[in-house]
Amino acid sequence: MKGRFHYYEGYGMKEVTFPIRIMHELGIETLFVSNASGGMNPEFKVGDLMIITDHINFFPEHPLHGKNFPTGPRFPDMHEPYDHKLIKMADDIAKEKNIRVLHGVYTGVQGPTFETPAEYKMYRILGGDAVGMSTVPEVIVARHSGIKVFGISVITDLGGFDVPVEVSHEEVQEAANAAQPLMTEIMREMIKRS
């Protein structure tokens, strides 16, 4: 896919996650997701790649709300939303290729505003390392459908620190474009080894 449907664009969760339902019907077994996100972990810097190890869902609508799809149970287990074997493979590849990667928890919010300093701090206190406006709904539906997931965030801006950092959409895109080749290199090698 090129891009995705975002909740903040006015789509409902059924629409946001519809492509994942189609992927399941096509027999897709593994989903790679990526996003641009704001880093809240003090170890992060703009341009870093964060392998997603878990997420926190702050979307106001749940993608599995309503009638249960027969692709999975009514109450799916989410103890491993991001596949541990795929994370290990990505770590090994990054080490071989000398690409700096970090691990962290992705916090999914509805947007479309960037976070206030207080929101960044709250999400960090609650266990988030990065925050963004996508990914979580798709991952939930993928796991409900039995699809393994690997996720990676490009840290495009920083927030929640003592000195507030103003950010623009253009700066976020610039940072994402600069980091994309490294992320692509890891993912291509993962596909080769799978």
Side-chain angles (χ1 to χ4, degrees):
M1 288 180 54
K2 269 192 161 183
R4 56 164 52 98
F5 300 104
H6 292 92
Y7 187 75
Y8 67 76
E9 294 175 295
Y11 296 104
M13 280 298 172
K14 299 287 187 260
E15 295 166 301
V16 168
T17 58
F18 184 70
I20 308 303
R21 297 284 181 203
I22 297 297
M23 289 178 194
H24 174 263
E25 293 301 318
L26 292 171
I28 300 297
E29 296 177 358
T30 305
L31 175 68
F32 284 25
V33 292
S34 64
N35 60 59
S37 62
M40 302 175 291
N41 186 320
E43 293 178 30
F44 291 2
K45 61 184 193 292
V46 170
D48 274 343
L49 297 176
M50 182 191 86
I51 294 173
I52 306 172
T53 56
D54 202 346
H55 68 234
I56 301 171
N57 182 10
F58 271 100
F59 283 91
E61 182 185 347
H62 197 282
L64 300 181
H65 184 256
K67 183 181 173 191
N68 188 45
F69 277 78
T71 58
R74 170 76 277 187
F75 303 104
D77 180 72
M78 291 294 288
H79 80 277
E80 190 179 337
Y82 302 88
D83 189 85
H84 295 165
K85 288 179 185 170
L86 293 173
I87 291 170
K88 169 82 166 75
M89 184 191 301
D91 282 338
D92 292 345
I93 291 166
K95 189 173 182 181
E96 289 167 22
K97 296 183 176 286
N98 202 27
I99 298 172
R100 174 181 154 95
V101 293
L102 301 128
H103 285 197
V105 174
Y106 177 82
T107 306
V109 299
Q110 75 174 11
T113 57
F114 292 113
E115 290 65 41
T116 68
E119 288 169 337
Y120 273 123
K121 286 179 184 173
M122 176 189 70
Y123 296 141
R124 179 69 181 145
I125 288 167
L126 294 175
D129 293 291
V131 61
M133 305 169 203
S134 66
T135 304
V136 171
E138 296 100 317
V139 171
I140 290 171
V141 169
R143 294 305 302 130
H144 180 256
S145 302
I147 298 171
K148 292 183 294 188
V149 178
F150 173 76
I152 195 162
S153 294
V154 177
I155 304 302
T156 54
D157 58 287
L158 300 171
F161 307 113
D162 291 336
V163 180
V165 181
E166 193 173 322
V167 64
S168 72
H169 182 64
E170 291 74 24
E171 289 169 320
V172 166
Q173 285 183 314
E174 206 174 289
N177 291 340
Q180 186 176 353
L182 298 174
M183 178 184 68
T184 303
E185 191 173 347
I186 291 170
M187 288 183 169
R188 280 197 176 130
E189 188 61 30
M190 289 176 74
I191 292 166
K192 279 185 201 170
R193 296 183 189 189
S194 294

